[in-house]
Amino acid sequence: MTTPILLIEGTPSLRMIYRSILERAGNTVHCAATLADGLSAYHAAPPCVVILDWLLEGADHEAVLRHLQSGHPGTKVLMTLPQTLLRHRPDRVGHGIFDVLVKPFNDIRLLAAVADARTEILRARLAKSREGSHRLPLSLIGSSPAITKLRERL
């Protein structure tokens, strides 16, 4: 079972296509047509991956990214934007945007971006779990003087 993806896309036909692609690949997708609905869904059930339309009306992208990252810092945001705005491409990868998907993109590109985001999330979780496990409890067997001394030191 995978963590749900939040898709915030203003164009109904694109929302339907992206959702279909993601669901056929076995993902659970929550959709929103507006930024307000998307943020409500985000707070109701925080996803690990958010796919966000660059062209949403009234979107202050900087504020939205700060908001998403402040609530759940591990959230990966995939930003979609049309090819016509490529010269305005947000240079924010590493500053809240994990990846940029330039429209039109195919299903392979979409699924690869989601897979990359999830892989990065898993890497971060693994690294964090290793940080706290540097002192693993040891089960020492025996009662020799050396084992007794070692138990005392631990």
Side-chain angles (χ1 to χ4, degrees), residues 88-105:
H88 300 291
R89 177 183 177 152
D91 292 324
R92 302 278 182 243
V93 176
H95 298 281
I97 299 175
F98 180 76
D99 200 355
V100 176
L101 301 168
V102 180
K103 299 173 188 178
F105 50 86

Side-chain angles (χ1 to χ4, degrees), residues 65-142:
L65 292 171
R66 277 193 309 272
H67 184 79
L68 293 174
Q69 291 302 312
S70 69
H72 302 279
T75 300
K76 300 299 177 201
V77 178
L78 307 176
M79 185 71 76
T80 66
L81 78 155
Q83 193 168 18
T84 55
L85 293 180
L86 189 55
R87 63 188 171 106
H88 300 291
R89 177 183 177 152
D91 292 324
R92 302 278 182 243
V93 176
H95 298 281
I97 299 175
F98 180 76
D99 200 355
V100 176
L101 301 168
V102 180
K103 299 173 188 178
F105 50 86
N106 63 21
D107 55 343
I108 295 170
R109 174 71 177 105
L110 175 60
L111 295 174
V114 169
D116 289 347
R118 283 201 168 125
T119 299
E120 186 59 32
I121 291 164
L122 291 174
R123 278 189 192 134
R125 285 181 184 163
L126 182 60
K128 191 173 184 177
S129 71
R130 285 182 178 164
E131 285 174 9
S133 64
H134 62 281
R135 287 188 55 95
L136 295 174
L138 297 175
S139 259
L140 301 174
I141 299 173

